[in-house]
Amino acid sequence: MRTTSTPTHCPYCALQCGMALSPLPTGGVEVVERADFPVNRGALCGKGRTAPAVLSSRVRLTSPLIRSGDALVPAGWDEALDLIAGRLAGIRDAHGPDALGVFGGGGLTNEKAYALGKFARVVLGTSQIDYNGRFCMSSAAAGGIKAFGLDRGLPFPLEDIPRTGCVILVGSNLAETMPPSLRFFSELRENGGTLIVVDPRRTRTAEQADLHLAPRPGTDLALALGLLHLVVAEGRVDEEFVRERTTGWEEARAAAMAHWPEQVERITGVSVPQLRQAVRMFCEPEAAMVLTARGPEQQSKGTDTVGAWIDLCLATGRAGRPLSGYGCLTGQGNGQGGREHGQKADQLPGYRKLDDPAARRHVAEVWGVDPDSLPGPGRSAYELLDALGGDVRSLLLMGSNPVVSAPRAAHVEERLRSLDFLAVCDVVLSETAALADVVLPVTQWAEETGTTTSLEGRVLLRRQALTPPDGIRSDLEVLHELAARLGVEKGFPADPEEVFEELRRASAGGIADYSGITYARLAAENGVFWPCPARSDGDDGPARDAGHPGTPRLFLDRFATPDGRARFAAVTHRPAAEETDADYPVLLTTGRVVAQYQSGAQTRRVDELNAAAPGPFVELHPRLAARLGAAEGDPLAVVSRRGRAVAPARITTGIRPDTVFMPFHWPGEGRANTLTNPALDPTSRMPEFKVCAVRVERAERAERAERPEGVGAAGSKAVAGGVS
């Protein structure tokens, strides 16, 4: 047991709040304040404070499990690893490497994400790898790459927010999802700046806003285009910036002018006076920002929606300048780093593209393999999950719980059950792990060292504070052992710093260049912002003197496109993939609550958090409740074309009358993602989590008149926006 506190970072969201872990006399650790980290200055939400509770053997896995009939029974590590390697090899020999699927997570450290992508492509030879971060930031990433040539959640540190003039916050309830970050927005208002919140619900965050816009779910694209229309009509375009630093304005301008304010009001339900007020608030200060989150991004048109909000920034000169720009509030703890180093279907380390011959040559040289041996791009996350049990016959899964978190979750559960073989690495017996043939118990954040990359693009060092219990191994050890059993003896070290040193070489020269970052620097500094190339020392690897200061603020001199100019997106509004009709007359949107995190696999095992948020609910407006004859707490059935969920009513005037909200943290009959639509964005392959058509009924009535899946799917009619 260590005798002094260990500085580290919270295991949950992408703020990666600084904390320290102090040993307890009775064993284990407690969280103590670490005020030196600038993102949270010691403040933590309830999830961060209670994070050590999941380290307890009372709630976690402590032994490998192997399926015997209907039960999972304890087994030894060699037996479990031999079984996994044998089954993977047998399926590959019989059906080819693409019969092997790999699914990762946005909570894995950079080292694990890197090793998992390398394992899939070098050891298994499969193209079938993706991760749950596809469900988080893929639309923002795609929009950012199109516009700027580079995707980093925030192109500036959070500390810049209080010093700007206005922030438009689109589809984020950060008061519940990232509570310590709310102080930046409070300081913004204290400094004379203004906050505009765009959300169909009057959330805790919206209550802090100077202006709350409540559009109909699925209409964020029309709203952004309506604001851009008014920018043009009112003469607020920064013509010099557009001329000198952008391309594509004429096409984007023409597209925006087709979205006149009265039309946008009809589509979104946001009044023309509110639209004009938002434009005035955004354009009058010298600097302003737009920040998006899952609300506008988790849509089948999420990339175009992000593009329209970026267009608003570019047209007004609110990008590539101090205290201005577009940014995305990354969700998962390593959602940023997790997609930079190879566990995404189309990417290689350093944010290189898998179909780029030069990228393949560079990474193959680092890995010591022939570039032609690397498979091409594979399926995106939902498409991979949908293919399980078909041509993808096995799955190795690390750090994800798709039984709860995937869209059309009941269907995904069926696909998982249909696999020939499923192996899961996790710290708890999640709903997905419970379906597995083999479950491996792995170390947690406090029991291992590794790096993560926060929503700011700040690479951070999590330090080991505890020795893991007997019987627990790290994910890196698992990949090392499996690679050896599958014939690859070298190239998969279990030491995280050794993995990071290879990651540095693989990322060198890439968009997300980490080559100038070392563990020693991260230990001495409060993180390093990428890109951070190594200073050249005349050889092909990272220099010994990693002296580059890092890049806290991007695009101040040029954008990351070949010509240095940002690109406008000429986009137009289109309806959601599924609109309301007579059978499904209400819109469902989903999200999080403050006491739970993602699928809840860990937080639902913490008593204090369960007491604060004991279960799912259906949030609805009093008008809709009156039509249903429902009172507070009554069980309601929410039914979509894909499934049914039941949860108690929570009645509030803080939601649109045409919309209901459900949090997605719980399994069982209140599993919200049973309902959600897997319709995919054509560019990002993001599923449409944030809007689908449902009907809402008293639960007892729904039980008598259950509609089979698929009924009512044909002949859907579009319904004009506005409050019913």
Side-chain angles (χ1 to χ4, degrees):
M1 171 68 71
R2 299 169 189 265
T3 57
T4 59
S5 64
T6 303
T8 189
H9 295 272
C10 178
Y12 292 117
C13 83
L15 286 181
Q16 288 297 280
C17 290
M19 60 168 60
L21 297 178
S22 181
L24 292 169
T26 55
V29 292
E30 65 175 346
V31 172
V32 295
E33 184 176 300
R34 181 184 161 197
D36 68 312
F37 189 63
V39 169
N40 63 308
R41 302 177 196 166
L44 293 167
C45 72
K47 295 184 291 291
R49 283 190 301 98
T50 61
V54 188
L55 298 166
S56 167
S57 60
R58 182 178 64 86
V59 300
R60 67 182 303 177
L61 295 168
T62 56
S63 169
L65 303 173
I66 290 178
R67 185 161 299 282
S68 176
D70 293 333
L72 286 166
V73 298
W77 271 96
D78 285 338
E79 180 185 3
L81 291 166
D82 288 346
L83 177 57
I84 295 172
R87 292 299 303 274
L88 295 181
I91 291 169
R92 181 178 59 186
D93 292 346
H95 303 285
D98 276 355
L100 308 179
V102 178
F103 201 83
L108 299 179
T109 62
N110 290 317
E111 293 81 359
K112 294 176 185 179
Y114 173 85
L116 188 62
K118 181 182 177 182
F119 178 85
R121 295 179 176 107
V122 172
V123 178
L124 301 181
T126 183
S127 67
Q128 300 303 302
I129 174 172
D130 211 77
Y131 79 126
N132 65 12
R134 175 79 67 170
F135 301 153
C136 176
M137 271 199 63
S138 57
S139 292
I145 290 170
K146 281 186 174 183
F148 307 129
L150 182 152
D151 154 47
R152 196 181 83 183
L154 294 180
F156 40 71
L158 285 162
E159 66 190 34
D160 284 1
I161 290 173
R163 300 190 292 141
T164 193
C166 176
V167 173
I168 302 180
L169 185 63
V170 190
S172 172
N173 183 16
L174 52 80
E176 298 203 49
T177 60
M178 299 178 172
S181 70
L182 191 62
R183 69 173 178 83
F184 293 104
F185 299 88
S186 299
E187 291 173 8
L188 165 73
R189 299 181 70 208
E190 291 168 3
N191 292 341
T194 56
L195 174 63
I196 302 170
V197 170
V198 179
D199 199 304
R201 305 166 61 219
R202 187 164 182 80
T203 63
R204 295 183 187 179
T205 306
E207 289 174 351
Q208 308 301 312
D210 298 281
L211 176 63
H212 173 214
L213 307 180
R216 188 173 188 260
T219 65
D220 306 89
L221 176 52
L223 178 63
L225 290 167
L227 296 177
L228 184 55
H229 177 113
L230 287 171
V231 164
V232 176
E234 296 177 2
R236 297 180 184 273
V237 175
D238 187 330
E239 301 286 357
E240 181 181 0
F241 179 88
V242 169
R243 182 174 58 253
E244 295 184 356
R245 298 200 61 188
T246 73
T247 62
W249 168 234
E250 290 305 318
E251 295 82 359
R253 179 185 183 278
M257 295 314 288
H259 298 77
W260 57 94
E262 292 76 13
Q263 179 198 37
V264 170
E265 178 178 329
R266 288 195 298 271
I267 294 170
T268 66
V270 177
S271 70
V272 173
Q274 284 185 310
L275 296 174
R276 293 189 185 280
Q277 183 183 0
V279 167
R280 185 173 63 254
M281 292 169 63
F282 185 69
C283 292
E284 287 183 351
E286 290 186 7
M289 301 172 178
V290 171
L291 305 178
T292 68
R294 304 302 79 76
E297 298 163 17
Q298 287 181 327
Q299 299 184 28
S300 60
K301 53 183 181 292
T303 302
D304 285 355
T305 303
V306 167
W309 287 107
I310 292 174
D311 284 354
L312 181 66
C313 292
L314 295 177
T316 55
R318 265 78 170 142
R321 288 175 170 170
L323 307 180
S324 287
Y326 164 80
C328 170
L329 298 174
T330 309
Q332 294 189 76
N334 198 31
Q336 181 69 52
R339 70 181 177 282
E340 295 170 0
H341 298 300
Q343 66 173 331
K344 194 163 172 274
D346 58 350
Q347 284 179 356
L348 288 170
Y351 224 137
R352 289 181 161 91
K353 298 295 290 183
L354 188 55
D355 56 6
D356 177 0
R360 293 169 68 88
R361 286 194 299 271
H362 173 85
V363 174
E365 183 177 358
V366 174
W367 288 352
V369 300
D370 184 340
D372 292 337
S373 71
L374 298 177
R379 292 177 171 97
S380 71
Y382 179 77
E383 292 166 305
L384 174 56
L385 295 172
D386 189 44
L388 300 180
D391 57 348
V392 179
R393 306 177 73 97
S394 72
L395 187 69
L396 173 64
L397 185 146
M398 286 185 170
S400 185
N401 187 19
V403 166
V404 177
S405 63
R408 199 184 174 195
H411 171 74
V412 169
E413 180 178 344
E414 290 175 2
R415 303 321 308 150
L416 286 161
R417 291 181 182 275
S418 72
L419 283 166
D420 293 352
F421 183 73
L422 172 62
V424 173
C425 299
D426 210 330
V427 299
V428 297
L429 190 67
S430 70
E431 288 72 23
T432 303
L435 305 180
D437 298 287
V438 180
V439 183
L440 300 180
V442 290
T443 50
Q444 297 187 55
W445 58 287
E447 300 163 349
E448 59 187 11
T449 294
T451 62
T452 62
T453 306
S454 75
L455 79 171
E456 301 176 297
R458 188 194 303 249
V459 185
L460 302 163
L461 183 64
R462 284 189 193 162
R463 299 167 175 86
Q464 182 179 356
L466 284 172
T467 301
D470 292 339
I472 307 294
R473 299 187 185 181
S474 74
D475 295 282
L476 293 178
E477 290 177 289
V478 169
L479 294 176
H480 171 82
E481 293 289 344
L482 289 177
R485 284 167 168 80
L486 290 165
V488 181
E489 298 286 345
K490 296 182 179 180
F492 290 89
D495 176 67
E497 187 168 8
E498 190 176 345
V499 176
F500 189 80
E501 287 299 305
E502 184 178 298
L503 182 158
R504 293 176 63 209
R505 298 196 302 275
S507 75
I511 292 173
D513 190 335
Y514 283 31
S515 60
I517 304 173
T518 64
Y519 270 31
R521 279 194 71 179
L522 296 176
E525 305 174 27
N526 266 326
V528 178
F529 292 85
W530 72 260
C532 182
R535 298 207 185 276
S536 175
D537 62 356
D539 64 20
D540 294 331
R544 292 185 179 182
D545 174 23
H548 189 283
T551 315
R553 294 170 182 86
L554 299 170
F555 313 138
L556 296 183
D557 299 318
R558 70 188 308 275
F559 295 99
T561 56
D563 62 4
R565 292 172 173 263
R567 302 184 182 99
F568 278 95
V571 295
T572 58
H573 174 70
R574 60 184 184 273
E578 184 177 83
E579 288 282 86
T580 54
D581 61 12
D583 290 324
Y584 300 94
V586 177
L587 292 172
L588 168 71
T589 192
T590 62
R592 289 168 51 189
V593 298
V594 66
Q596 301 292 342
Y597 181 71
Q598 302 297 80
S599 75
Q602 296 178 58
T603 52
R604 284 186 277 110
R605 288 165 167 80
V606 178
D607 292 340
E608 180 179 332
L609 300 180
N610 275 335
F617 56 87
V618 180
E619 185 177 283
L620 72 164
H621 192 274
R623 252 187 266 168
L624 178 55
R627 288 203 299 271
L628 297 171
E632 181 78 12
D634 283 353
L636 296 179
V638 182
V639 184
S640 77
R641 294 178 175 92
R642 290 152 297 280
R644 173 177 180 270
V646 177
R650 181 175 292 182
I651 301 171
T652 174
T653 57
I655 192 169
R656 292 173 55 98
D658 58 3
T659 301
V660 295
F661 167 85
M662 291 189 72
F664 54 67
H665 309 290
W666 286 275
E669 67 174 7
R671 181 170 48 165
N673 280 330
T674 298
L675 309 168
T676 48
N677 191 353
L680 301 180
D681 180 289
T683 301
S684 68
R685 316 308 289 169
M686 168 73 83
E688 193 151 63
F689 285 99
K690 281 297 182 281
V691 54
C692 70
V694 298
R695 68 173 184 269
V696 185
E697 301 173 330
R698 296 283 296 273
E700 60 271 21
R701 191 176 93 192
E703 289 165 2
R704 293 195 302 268
E706 184 64 25
R707 180 182 297 276
E709 181 172 335
V711 174
S716 298
K717 299 178 182 178
V719 178
V723 177
S724 60

